[in-house]
Amino acid sequence: MTTWTAPDGSEINFEQYGTSDSTKPYLLLLPGLLGAISSQWRPFLKPLAEHYQLLLVDLRGHGRSKNNASTLNITQMADDLLGVLDSLNIARLHIAGYSMGGYLGLMLAMRQPRRVATLLMHGTKFFWTTEAAAKMQQQLNPDTMAEKVPTYADQLVKDHGIRQWRTLVRQAAALTAELVENGIAERQLKNVQVPVLVSVGDRDELVLLPEAFRLSRALPQGQLLVLPNTRHPLQTVQLVPLLAMMQTFHTE
């Protein structure tokens, strides 16, 4: 277990693969909200490590990363990622983020455009309305989840621990509400200077195709990829065609 310690003392867990060849570019793989690097992106590691130096980071309060704060703060989560990159002296990299991981990748691209070469945002919900956040908050109730979706609840226990998962779910619900008021505004997207591939499944329950299309068109260098027979969970994504698209897109 390798960690970086944030200013508030929170230990942020990360893993590296394929770093024996320093000539290969870096690719940061980010999990989604309530996800962990122990269970997300795993099928992609071996083929991607042939072409990239891979870095995976557990988001604050997720997986093996700690959170000494009482809430999840999206800016603090982005600061954590930059802290890890600084500690590893990574000056330039590609980013692939799933769901909230894509949102965080976008924040990094906006804050440090010279550092981010390309960004893949898969299944990322950008347009958070009051109604969408309220619906998500209803779903992110740990007691309801344990009763109605026990398999998912069991996965959260496995990823985050029996003592942590309920707290994390409540913090995640509050974070979605925070994005309505303090998230990235659509008008800010015109300032994004890096190529962005917006990827979405044709059966995604959270991110509808019109939303993904709108996001891709709002980005100056945005592109849209629609994956067939794919729902929102990352495990429904097949290696083909996404892997080939990643290898083509994430080039200098």
Side-chain angles (χ1 to χ4, degrees):
M1 179 174 171
T2 309
T3 62
W4 169 80
T5 303
D8 69 345
S10 298
E11 293 184 343
I12 306 302
N13 176 60
F14 63 89
E15 297 178 3
Q16 293 180 277
Y17 298 90
T19 56
S20 58
D21 184 356
S22 61
T23 64
K24 295 185 296 188
Y26 274 99
L27 172 58
L28 171 62
L29 297 173
L30 295 175
L33 191 65
L34 299 183
I37 60 177
S38 61
S39 60
Q40 293 186 348
W41 290 113
R42 305 311 289 193
F44 290 82
L45 297 188
K46 185 176 180 179
L48 286 175
E50 296 177 4
H51 304 279
Y52 305 95
Q53 299 182 73
L54 299 180
L55 172 64
L56 293 83
V57 182
D58 271 326
L59 304 180
R60 169 179 289 257
H62 293 64
R64 293 186 176 183
S65 288
K66 306 301 180 183
N67 182 17
N68 291 339
S70 59
T71 62
L72 284 178
N73 179 279
I74 195 71
T75 300
Q76 193 173 41
M77 295 164 79
D79 289 343
D80 292 337
L81 298 175
L82 292 175
V84 172
L85 296 179
D86 289 343
S87 72
L88 296 173
N89 296 312
I90 299 176
R92 190 163 173 81
L93 76 163
H94 303 278
I95 301 177
Y98 162 62
S99 198
M100 191 63 74
Y103 196 99
L104 285 163
L106 182 61
M107 293 181 68
L108 266 57
M110 295 175 68
R111 289 171 61 171
Q112 297 192 354
R114 294 184 179 180
R115 192 175 212 169
V116 179
T118 63
L119 169 64
L120 165 70
M121 304 171 67
H122 175 71
T124 297
K125 188 168 184 64
F126 178 83
F127 300 100
W128 283 100
T129 63
T130 302
E131 294 75 19
K135 182 178 179 180
M136 182 60 69
Q137 286 182 294
Q138 290 180 342
Q139 296 174 344
L140 293 179
N141 180 305
D143 295 330
T144 303
M145 295 168 72
E147 177 184 352
K148 295 187 176 181
V149 283
T151 301
Y152 183 41
D154 289 343
Q155 183 63 50
L156 293 179
V157 171
K158 182 179 179 181
D159 285 344
H160 312 295
I162 188 66
R163 297 182 179 180
Q164 173 63 15
W165 81 274
R166 289 177 178 271
T167 297
L168 179 60
V169 168
R170 295 187 182 97
Q171 291 176 336
L175 176 60
T176 60
E178 182 71 14
L179 291 178
V180 177
E181 297 296 331
N182 299 313
I184 303 169
E186 185 173 5
R187 64 179 181 277
Q188 295 176 276
L189 296 178
K190 65 179 183 295
N191 299 319
V192 178
Q193 302 174 26
V194 306
V196 181
L197 178 60
V198 177
S199 171
V200 66
D202 62 347
R203 301 186 182 186
D204 195 311
E205 312 89 344
L206 179 63
V207 185
L208 303 181
L209 289 178
E211 290 184 58
F213 178 81
R214 177 180 168 188
L215 174 60
S216 69
R217 290 300 178 265
L219 294 159
Q221 299 186 64
Q223 302 175 42
L224 178 65
L225 172 65
V226 180
L227 300 177
N229 196 31
T230 303
R231 297 184 295 108
H232 185 72
L234 189 58
Q235 63 265 31
T236 68
V237 176
Q238 301 298 313
L239 284 176
V240 179
L242 183 58
L243 179 62
M245 289 298 299
M246 292 177 71
Q247 292 171 340
T248 301
F249 184 71
H250 291 310
T251 57
E252 292 286 355

